[in-house]
mmCIF file of all heavy atoms in Angstrom:
data_model
loop_
_atom_site.group_PDB
_atom_site.id
_atom_site.type_symbol
_atom_site.label_atom_id
_atom_site.label_comp_id
_atom_site.label_asym_id
_atom_site.label_seq_id
_atom_site.Cartn_x
_atom_site.Cartn_y
_atom_site.Cartn_z
ATOM 1 N N GLY A 1 127.844 147.285 119.716
ATOM 2 C CA GLY A 1 128.730 146.395 119.010
ATOM 3 C C GLY A 1 129.500 145.491 119.955
ATOM 4 O O GLY A 1 129.651 144.285 119.691
ATOM 5 N N VAL A 2 129.996 146.042 121.040
ATOM 6 C CA VAL A 2 130.744 145.246 122.020
ATOM 7 C C VAL A 2 129.841 144.159 122.615
ATOM 8 O O VAL A 2 130.250 143.011 122.788
ATOM 9 C CB VAL A 2 131.328 146.148 123.140
ATOM 10 C CG1 VAL A 2 131.908 145.300 124.266
ATOM 11 C CG2 VAL A 2 132.391 147.072 122.562
ATOM 12 N N ALA A 3 128.607 144.539 122.938
ATOM 13 C CA ALA A 3 127.678 143.580 123.555
ATOM 14 C C ALA A 3 127.343 142.437 122.583
ATOM 15 O O ALA A 3 127.360 141.261 122.952
ATOM 16 C CB ALA A 3 126.397 144.282 123.997
ATOM 17 N N LEU A 4 127.048 142.788 121.325
ATOM 18 C CA LEU A 4 126.718 141.747 120.337
ATOM 19 C C LEU A 4 127.931 140.885 120.008
ATOM 20 O O LEU A 4 127.809 139.693 119.777
ATOM 21 C CB LEU A 4 126.158 142.392 119.083
ATOM 22 C CG LEU A 4 124.704 142.868 119.184
ATOM 23 C CD1 LEU A 4 124.323 143.696 117.956
ATOM 24 C CD2 LEU A 4 123.753 141.692 119.357
ATOM 25 N N ASP A 5 129.117 141.499 119.964
ATOM 26 C CA ASP A 5 130.325 140.734 119.687
ATOM 27 C C ASP A 5 130.538 139.658 120.733
ATOM 28 O O ASP A 5 130.962 138.525 120.402
ATOM 29 C CB ASP A 5 131.546 141.673 119.663
ATOM 30 C CG ASP A 5 131.599 142.509 118.396
ATOM 31 O OD1 ASP A 5 130.874 142.208 117.448
ATOM 32 O OD2 ASP A 5 132.373 143.509 118.392
ATOM 33 N N ALA A 6 130.265 139.969 121.991
ATOM 34 C CA ALA A 6 130.426 138.964 123.047
ATOM 35 C C ALA A 6 129.425 137.820 122.851
ATOM 36 O O ALA A 6 129.773 136.637 123.013
ATOM 37 C CB ALA A 6 130.228 139.603 124.427
ATOM 38 N N HIS A 7 128.192 138.142 122.482
ATOM 39 C CA HIS A 7 127.201 137.105 122.230
ATOM 40 C C HIS A 7 127.665 136.161 121.126
ATOM 41 O O HIS A 7 127.559 134.936 121.269
ATOM 42 C CB HIS A 7 125.864 137.754 121.864
ATOM 43 C CG HIS A 7 124.833 136.767 121.380
ATOM 44 N ND1 HIS A 7 124.229 135.847 122.206
ATOM 45 C CD2 HIS A 7 124.342 136.536 120.134
ATOM 46 C CE1 HIS A 7 123.390 135.084 121.503
ATOM 47 N NE2 HIS A 7 123.448 135.489 120.248
ATOM 48 N N PHE A 8 128.163 136.738 120.036
ATOM 49 C CA PHE A 8 128.514 135.896 118.900
ATOM 50 C C PHE A 8 129.891 135.228 119.062
ATOM 51 O O PHE A 8 130.056 134.096 118.613
ATOM 52 C CB PHE A 8 128.454 136.705 117.598
ATOM 53 C CG PHE A 8 127.070 136.924 117.114
ATOM 54 C CD1 PHE A 8 126.355 138.067 117.422
ATOM 55 C CD2 PHE A 8 126.430 135.965 116.356
ATOM 56 C CE1 PHE A 8 125.062 138.265 116.969
ATOM 57 C CE2 PHE A 8 125.133 136.118 115.901
ATOM 58 C CZ PHE A 8 124.436 137.276 116.213
ATOM 59 N N SER A 9 130.828 135.931 119.640
ATOM 60 C CA SER A 9 132.165 135.317 119.746
ATOM 61 C C SER A 9 132.257 134.322 120.886
ATOM 62 O O SER A 9 133.085 133.398 120.821
ATOM 63 C CB SER A 9 133.221 136.419 119.928
ATOM 64 O OG SER A 9 133.064 137.085 121.174
ATOM 65 N N LEU A 10 131.430 134.470 121.926
ATOM 66 C CA LEU A 10 131.482 133.558 123.067
ATOM 67 C C LEU A 10 130.257 132.668 123.159
ATOM 68 O O LEU A 10 130.374 131.429 123.035
ATOM 69 C CB LEU A 10 131.634 134.362 124.374
ATOM 70 C CG LEU A 10 133.011 134.940 124.683
ATOM 71 C CD1 LEU A 10 132.975 135.762 125.929
ATOM 72 C CD2 LEU A 10 134.026 133.810 124.819
ATOM 73 N N GLU A 11 129.099 133.253 123.404
ATOM 74 C CA GLU A 11 127.890 132.441 123.659
ATOM 75 C C GLU A 11 127.573 131.480 122.537
ATOM 76 O O GLU A 11 127.448 130.248 122.743
ATOM 77 C CB GLU A 11 126.683 133.348 123.916
ATOM 78 C CG GLU A 11 126.562 133.871 125.323
ATOM 79 C CD GLU A 11 125.201 134.494 125.551
ATOM 80 O OE1 GLU A 11 124.253 133.760 125.861
ATOM 81 O OE2 GLU A 11 125.096 135.731 125.402
ATOM 82 N N GLN A 12 127.391 132.032 121.343
ATOM 83 C CA GLN A 12 126.997 131.155 120.238
ATOM 84 C C GLN A 12 128.090 130.124 119.940
ATOM 85 O O GLN A 12 127.788 128.957 119.686
ATOM 86 C CB GLN A 12 126.711 132.010 118.979
ATOM 87 C CG GLN A 12 125.504 132.914 119.088
ATOM 88 C CD GLN A 12 124.200 132.094 119.148
ATOM 89 O OE1 GLN A 12 123.922 131.408 120.116
ATOM 90 N NE2 GLN A 12 123.385 132.203 118.109
ATOM 91 N N TRP A 13 129.348 130.527 119.987
ATOM 92 C CA TRP A 13 130.453 129.621 119.699
ATOM 93 C C TRP A 13 130.501 128.509 120.725
ATOM 94 O O TRP A 13 130.620 127.321 120.379
ATOM 95 C CB TRP A 13 131.759 130.421 119.687
ATOM 96 C CG TRP A 13 132.901 129.654 119.150
ATOM 97 C CD1 TRP A 13 133.380 129.663 117.847
ATOM 98 C CD2 TRP A 13 133.734 128.710 119.863
ATOM 99 N NE1 TRP A 13 134.436 128.808 117.741
ATOM 100 C CE2 TRP A 13 134.671 128.189 118.940
ATOM 101 C CE3 TRP A 13 133.748 128.254 121.173
ATOM 102 C CZ2 TRP A 13 135.656 127.273 119.296
ATOM 103 C CZ3 TRP A 13 134.716 127.330 121.536
ATOM 104 C CH2 TRP A 13 135.650 126.846 120.619
ATOM 105 N N VAL A 14 130.435 128.866 122.027
ATOM 106 C CA VAL A 14 130.541 127.866 123.084
ATOM 107 C C VAL A 14 129.359 126.880 123.030
ATOM 108 O O VAL A 14 129.533 125.651 123.131
ATOM 109 C CB VAL A 14 130.616 128.537 124.470
ATOM 110 C CG1 VAL A 14 130.410 127.525 125.594
ATOM 111 C CG2 VAL A 14 131.966 129.205 124.643
ATOM 112 N N ARG A 15 128.169 127.387 122.870
ATOM 113 C CA ARG A 15 127.002 126.515 122.827
ATOM 114 C C ARG A 15 127.061 125.557 121.675
ATOM 115 O O ARG A 15 126.747 124.359 121.780
ATOM 116 C CB ARG A 15 125.710 127.315 122.840
ATOM 117 C CG ARG A 15 125.456 128.035 124.182
ATOM 118 C CD ARG A 15 124.040 128.585 124.260
ATOM 119 N NE ARG A 15 123.861 129.188 125.564
ATOM 120 C CZ ARG A 15 123.637 130.493 125.764
ATOM 121 N NH1 ARG A 15 123.578 131.326 124.748
ATOM 122 N NH2 ARG A 15 123.481 130.967 126.990
ATOM 123 N N CYS A 16 127.442 126.069 120.517
ATOM 124 C CA CYS A 16 127.521 125.212 119.323
ATOM 125 C C CYS A 16 128.613 124.158 119.505
ATOM 126 O O CYS A 16 128.402 122.955 119.228
ATOM 127 C CB CYS A 16 127.799 126.063 118.089
ATOM 128 S SG CYS A 16 127.995 125.094 116.589
ATOM 129 N N THR A 17 129.776 124.584 119.999
ATOM 130 C CA THR A 17 130.926 123.691 120.077
ATOM 131 C C THR A 17 130.718 122.586 121.124
ATOM 132 O O THR A 17 131.164 121.459 120.941
ATOM 133 C CB THR A 17 132.188 124.499 120.460
ATOM 134 O OG1 THR A 17 132.376 125.524 119.479
ATOM 135 C CG2 THR A 17 133.425 123.619 120.459
ATOM 136 N N THR A 18 130.012 122.915 122.207
ATOM 137 C CA THR A 18 129.825 121.938 123.290
ATOM 138 C C THR A 18 128.559 121.119 123.154
ATOM 139 O O THR A 18 128.218 120.313 124.023
ATOM 140 C CB THR A 18 129.806 122.654 124.649
ATOM 141 O OG1 THR A 18 128.765 123.615 124.672
ATOM 142 C CG2 THR A 18 131.147 123.367 124.900
ATOM 143 N N GLY A 19 127.829 121.316 122.067
ATOM 144 C CA GLY A 19 126.622 120.534 121.829
ATOM 145 C C GLY A 19 125.400 120.988 122.598
ATOM 146 O O GLY A 19 124.396 120.269 122.674
ATOM 147 N N ALA A 20 125.466 122.202 123.162
ATOM 148 C CA ALA A 20 124.302 122.748 123.860
ATOM 149 C C ALA A 20 123.277 123.260 122.861
ATOM 150 O O ALA A 20 123.567 123.410 121.661
ATOM 151 C CB ALA A 20 124.741 123.879 124.794
ATOM 152 N N LEU A 21 122.083 123.517 123.328
ATOM 153 C CA LEU A 21 121.060 124.120 122.482
ATOM 154 C C LEU A 21 121.374 125.601 122.294
ATOM 155 O O LEU A 21 121.652 126.306 123.245
ATOM 156 C CB LEU A 21 119.667 123.963 123.103
ATOM 157 C CG LEU A 21 119.233 122.523 123.463
ATOM 158 C CD1 LEU A 21 117.795 122.547 123.962
ATOM 159 C CD2 LEU A 21 119.430 121.573 122.300
ATOM 160 N N PHE A 22 121.355 126.061 121.033
ATOM 161 C CA PHE A 22 121.531 127.504 120.802
ATOM 162 C C PHE A 22 120.534 127.903 119.741
ATOM 163 O O PHE A 22 119.625 127.144 119.404
ATOM 164 C CB PHE A 22 122.990 127.826 120.466
ATOM 165 C CG PHE A 22 123.420 127.512 119.049
ATOM 166 C CD1 PHE A 22 123.600 128.517 118.137
ATOM 167 C CD2 PHE A 22 123.660 126.189 118.655
ATOM 168 C CE1 PHE A 22 124.028 128.258 116.852
ATOM 169 C CE2 PHE A 22 124.089 125.905 117.387
ATOM 170 C CZ PHE A 22 124.263 126.952 116.474
ATOM 171 N N ASN A 23 120.667 129.110 119.217
ATOM 172 C CA ASN A 23 119.560 129.635 118.439
ATOM 173 C C ASN A 23 119.972 130.375 117.179
ATOM 174 O O ASN A 23 121.067 130.953 117.097
ATOM 175 C CB ASN A 23 118.686 130.582 119.279
ATOM 176 C CG ASN A 23 119.431 131.828 119.703
ATOM 177 O OD1 ASN A 23 120.351 131.741 120.519
ATOM 178 N ND2 ASN A 23 119.034 132.978 119.168
ATOM 179 N N PHE A 24 119.078 130.332 116.206
ATOM 180 C CA PHE A 24 119.121 131.219 115.053
ATOM 181 C C PHE A 24 118.836 132.637 115.574
ATOM 182 O O PHE A 24 117.980 132.820 116.430
ATOM 183 C CB PHE A 24 118.053 130.770 114.069
ATOM 184 C CG PHE A 24 117.824 131.696 112.906
ATOM 185 C CD1 PHE A 24 118.876 132.139 112.103
ATOM 186 C CD2 PHE A 24 116.518 132.089 112.564
ATOM 187 C CE1 PHE A 24 118.658 132.987 111.032
ATOM 188 C CE2 PHE A 24 116.292 132.922 111.482
ATOM 189 C CZ PHE A 24 117.355 133.358 110.712
ATOM 190 N N ASN A 25 119.538 133.623 115.048
ATOM 191 C CA ASN A 25 119.394 134.999 115.546
ATOM 192 C C ASN A 25 118.424 135.837 114.720
ATOM 193 O O ASN A 25 118.428 137.050 114.824
ATOM 194 C CB ASN A 25 120.760 135.679 115.619
ATOM 195 C CG ASN A 25 121.640 135.101 116.691
ATOM 196 O OD1 ASN A 25 122.522 134.293 116.417
ATOM 197 N ND2 ASN A 25 121.406 135.497 117.937
ATOM 198 N N GLY A 26 117.604 135.185 113.911
ATOM 199 C CA GLY A 26 116.573 135.907 113.175
ATOM 200 C C GLY A 26 116.983 136.408 111.833
ATOM 201 O O GLY A 26 116.140 136.790 111.015
ATOM 202 N N THR A 27 118.276 136.457 111.554
ATOM 203 C CA THR A 27 118.813 136.933 110.279
ATOM 204 C C THR A 27 120.221 136.403 110.103
ATOM 205 O O THR A 27 120.854 135.911 111.065
ATOM 206 C CB THR A 27 118.803 138.478 110.238
ATOM 207 O OG1 THR A 27 119.346 138.923 108.975
ATOM 208 C CG2 THR A 27 119.630 139.077 111.356
ATOM 209 N N ALA A 28 120.725 136.484 108.892
ATOM 210 C CA ALA A 28 122.073 136.026 108.574
ATOM 211 C C ALA A 28 122.229 134.534 108.870
ATOM 212 O O ALA A 28 123.173 134.133 109.514
ATOM 213 C CB ALA A 28 123.129 136.854 109.302
ATOM 214 N N GLY A 29 121.274 133.753 108.384
ATOM 215 C CA GLY A 29 121.324 132.311 108.581
ATOM 216 C C GLY A 29 120.607 131.592 107.466
ATOM 217 O O GLY A 29 119.827 132.195 106.719
ATOM 218 N N VAL A 30 120.874 130.315 107.353
ATOM 219 C CA VAL A 30 120.242 129.476 106.319
ATOM 220 C C VAL A 30 119.586 128.289 107.022
ATOM 221 O O VAL A 30 120.200 127.625 107.866
ATOM 222 C CB VAL A 30 121.275 128.969 105.302
ATOM 223 C CG1 VAL A 30 120.580 128.179 104.197
ATOM 224 C CG2 VAL A 30 122.082 130.135 104.720
ATOM 225 N N TRP A 31 118.349 128.010 106.653
ATOM 226 C CA TRP A 31 117.573 126.894 107.211
ATOM 227 C C TRP A 31 117.298 125.828 106.151
ATOM 228 O O TRP A 31 117.132 126.138 104.963
ATOM 229 C CB TRP A 31 116.216 127.368 107.714
ATOM 230 C CG TRP A 31 116.226 127.940 109.096
ATOM 231 C CD1 TRP A 31 116.446 129.241 109.460
ATOM 232 C CD2 TRP A 31 116.000 127.212 110.310
ATOM 233 N NE1 TRP A 31 116.363 129.383 110.830
ATOM 234 C CE2 TRP A 31 116.096 128.162 111.382
ATOM 235 C CE3 TRP A 31 115.692 125.902 110.604
ATOM 236 C CZ2 TRP A 31 115.891 127.781 112.695
ATOM 237 C CZ3 TRP A 31 115.519 125.513 111.948
ATOM 238 C CH2 TRP A 31 115.641 126.471 112.970
ATOM 239 N N ARG A 32 117.238 124.587 106.598
ATOM 240 C CA ARG A 32 116.717 123.495 105.770
ATOM 241 C C ARG A 32 115.197 123.577 105.839
ATOM 242 O O ARG A 32 114.604 123.539 106.915
ATOM 243 C CB ARG A 32 117.219 122.168 106.285
ATOM 244 C CG ARG A 32 116.873 120.975 105.374
ATOM 245 C CD ARG A 32 117.237 119.650 106.026
ATOM 246 N NE ARG A 32 118.670 119.553 106.309
ATOM 247 C CZ ARG A 32 119.562 119.045 105.453
ATOM 248 N NH1 ARG A 32 119.175 118.611 104.281
ATOM 249 N NH2 ARG A 32 120.854 118.974 105.807
ATOM 250 N N LYS A 33 114.552 123.696 104.694
ATOM 251 C CA LYS A 33 113.097 123.870 104.661
ATOM 252 C C LYS A 33 112.398 122.733 105.358
ATOM 253 O O LYS A 33 111.406 122.941 106.100
ATOM 254 C CB LYS A 33 112.614 124.002 103.221
ATOM 255 C CG LYS A 33 111.119 124.298 103.088
ATOM 256 C CD LYS A 33 110.730 124.455 101.611
ATOM 257 C CE LYS A 33 109.273 124.730 101.457
ATOM 258 N NZ LYS A 33 108.863 124.870 100.033
ATOM 259 N N ALA A 34 112.852 121.515 105.174
ATOM 260 C CA ALA A 34 112.213 120.347 105.788
ATOM 261 C C ALA A 34 112.265 120.421 107.305
ATOM 262 O O ALA A 34 111.348 119.953 107.990
ATOM 263 C CB ALA A 34 112.899 119.061 105.308
ATOM 264 N N ALA A 35 113.335 121.004 107.852
ATOM 265 C CA ALA A 35 113.480 121.132 109.301
ATOM 266 C C ALA A 35 112.454 122.123 109.853
ATOM 267 O O ALA A 35 111.871 121.943 110.933
ATOM 268 C CB ALA A 35 114.870 121.553 109.682
ATOM 269 N N ILE A 36 112.248 123.218 109.120
ATOM 270 C CA ILE A 36 111.247 124.213 109.547
ATOM 271 C C ILE A 36 109.870 123.560 109.630
ATOM 272 O O ILE A 36 109.127 123.730 110.599
ATOM 273 C CB ILE A 36 111.229 125.398 108.574
ATOM 274 C CG1 ILE A 36 112.569 126.158 108.616
ATOM 275 C CG2 ILE A 36 110.093 126.376 108.943
ATOM 276 C CD1 ILE A 36 112.651 127.300 107.599
ATOM 277 N N ILE A 37 109.526 122.811 108.595
ATOM 278 C CA ILE A 37 108.222 122.156 108.559
ATOM 279 C C ILE A 37 108.104 121.111 109.643
ATOM 280 O O ILE A 37 107.102 121.001 110.352
ATOM 281 C CB ILE A 37 107.975 121.535 107.171
ATOM 282 C CG1 ILE A 37 107.920 122.658 106.102
ATOM 283 C CG2 ILE A 37 106.718 120.709 107.144
ATOM 284 C CD1 ILE A 37 107.925 122.127 104.667
#
C-alpha cells in the first residue's frame, strides 16, 4: 500500500501536472473509444 500510494500520489500526479507522458494503470480508468482505435 505504501509503495502504490507513492506511485499514485507523486509519480502520476507530477507527470500529469507537468505535461509529461504518463500511463493508464490497467484499471480504474475511463478511455475515449476513438482514442483507443
